[in-house]
Structure formats: structure tokens, C-alpha cells
Amino acid sequence: MSSEPTEAALTPRRRVPTQARSRRKVEHVLDTASRLVVERGVEALTTRDIALASGVPVASLYQYFADKEDVLIALAERDMAEMDDQVLADLSGLRDLTLASLVRTTMGAFVTVYQRRRAFVEIYLRGRTNAALHQFGREHNARVAATLRGFAIEKGLALPTLPVKTALLAVEIGDRVFQLAYEHDDEGDQELVEEGITLVTAYLERYAAPASSRRVET
């Protein structure tokens, strides 16, 4: 029998609120959990701590989150969405768009979010021991890889022959670089991040389109 987690086990079980008041309550819970993660760490955190600090009855908390891991996944999901928005915003401001600047800007956008979302560093870069959280991160990496690959080809930065698996591996390499850079440093080892940018860029440059074929829109 396979020891791999089932798809159902990896799917967040929380109820998504539809009313504005309930959504605000959930955001408040997540903000509180984020603060507690930074203060106490992932392992020491409990759902009772979150409920008490946020002023929400434990029973009410369980209406939206099945357990502590569910809260952590919700935090990771929110911060990853913020990362995606940051990448898009930073790329839209680029005037010199190349494959190298695409890599640098994307990884730089991630660093920007890491700096203001310290709980994400604890949850994802340091505490990715939960199977559901690990799978969620892998799925996000796959979406990022597909989006950036399509963007690079559409803009004439990369050849259409850029394999999907190569783009995915580039993102996974960057993910691992960030794990190492933030393993013991809350600010992140920027020298290591720079080395990672160089590594990922060199790996992808094999599929860079000739400069004459680039169709970068201003």
C-alpha cells in the first residue's frame, strides 16, 4: 500500500466564509496566528493559543479551521498570493526585460514578501514538516513555473522549446535557495540569495531567445 498522502488528506478542510463579517473574523485570526508564530515558533503554537489571543471561542475557530495545520496552510496560502501579486507588480515596472532580469525580479519579489511576512519564513521556509503544507508549496511552485514560462515565451525572452520540467526545476531550486538563506537568518543571507539568482539564471540561459527575436512591449 502506498504511503503517500491521499489527495483528500492534502485538501484544506476549512469552511470558506462568505459574509464580510466572517471574512474579517478569519483575517483577524490569521493575523493573530501570524504574530504568534513569530513570537513562539510553529511547534509551540496551539489552536487554543490562537483562539485566546484573537478573542475567538475555540468552538468558533473550529468552524473555519480543522486544526493548527489548517491555520498554517491558510497563512501560507495568503502569503503566497501576496508573493504572486508582488511578482506581477515588480515585473510590470521593468523597462529592461530579459531572462536574467525576469529571474532577478521574481526572486527579489519573494525576498520583499519574506521581509514583511516573517511568519511565512517560519511556517514555510523553516517548518515545512506537515505533508499538506509541503504539497501545497509544491503545487504553488508548479503554478509559478507555468506562469513564468508562459510569460518568458510570450515576451520573446525564452525559446518555445523551454521544457516545462526545466522551468519547474528552476523554481524548485530557487525555493531551496531561500530555505537555506533563511534557515538561521531572519533577514536572509543575501549573499546566498545572490548566488541562487546566478545559479537559476545560468541554468535557464540555455533557453534564452536571441536578442533580435525579443518582442518586449513598453
Side-chain angles (χ1 to χ4, degrees):
M1 181 180 293
S2 173
S3 61
E4 291 295 321
T6 64
E7 182 177 351
L10 298 175
T11 302
R13 292 161 289 173
R14 61 186 177 277
R15 179 169 66 86
V16 178
T18 57
Q19 295 182 347
R21 181 180 178 183
S22 296
R23 288 197 300 270
R24 287 194 298 270
K25 180 185 292 185
V26 168
E27 284 300 307
H28 174 62
V29 169
L30 292 178
D31 289 340
T32 302
S34 178
R35 174 174 58 81
L36 293 177
V37 164
V38 174
E39 293 176 357
R40 306 179 187 181
V42 173
E43 295 303 321
L45 187 66
T46 67
T47 51
R48 185 171 295 277
D49 292 335
I50 298 170
L52 182 63
S54 59
V56 175
V58 175
S60 296
L61 186 70
Y62 284 133
Q63 289 180 8
Y64 302 104
F65 304 100
D67 47 32
K68 182 182 80 171
E69 282 67 32
D70 214 12
V71 176
L72 297 179
I73 291 173
L75 280 172
E77 183 178 13
R78 186 175 71 169
D79 292 346
M80 285 177 181
E82 184 174 331
M83 284 181 175
D84 295 342
D85 291 342
Q86 187 70 53
V87 169
L88 292 175
D90 291 355
L91 286 178
S92 67
L94 273 182
R95 297 187 63 84
D96 182 22
L97 190 54
T98 64
L99 197 58
S101 68
L102 175 63
V103 173
R104 176 169 293 279
T105 301
T106 299
M107 294 184 71
F110 277 43
V111 169
T112 296
V113 176
Y114 293 151
Q115 296 301 329
R116 64 175 179 249
R117 295 294 188 182
R118 295 303 178 88
F120 187 76
V121 172
E122 294 291 339
I123 294 168
Y124 188 69
L125 297 182
R126 294 175 178 172
R128 202 183 331 177
T129 57
N130 175 268
L133 184 60
H134 176 77
Q135 180 67 16
F136 187 83
R138 294 297 299 275
E139 290 170 356
H140 179 255
N141 284 349
R143 292 194 298 272
V144 169
T147 299
L148 292 179
R149 175 181 177 273
F151 178 86
I153 293 173
E154 178 186 351
K155 295 296 184 181
L157 309 178
L159 298 171
T161 53
L162 171 62
V164 173
K165 287 185 178 180
T166 298
L168 177 57
L169 183 56
V171 173
E172 291 284 356
I173 291 171
D175 197 36
R176 180 56 178 156
V177 167
F178 287 131
Q179 280 187 291
L180 293 172
Y182 285 86
E183 186 174 16
H184 303 294
D185 189 343
D186 289 343
E187 298 296 328
D189 185 335
Q190 296 308 305
E191 184 177 350
L192 187 54
V193 172
E194 281 295 324
E195 288 296 310
I197 291 172
T198 300
L199 176 64
V200 174
T201 300
Y203 177 62
L204 292 175
E205 282 288 352
R206 299 172 299 157
Y207 297 95
S212 59
S213 70
R214 292 174 184 162
R215 305 180 302 280
V216 179
E217 300 176 359
T218 58

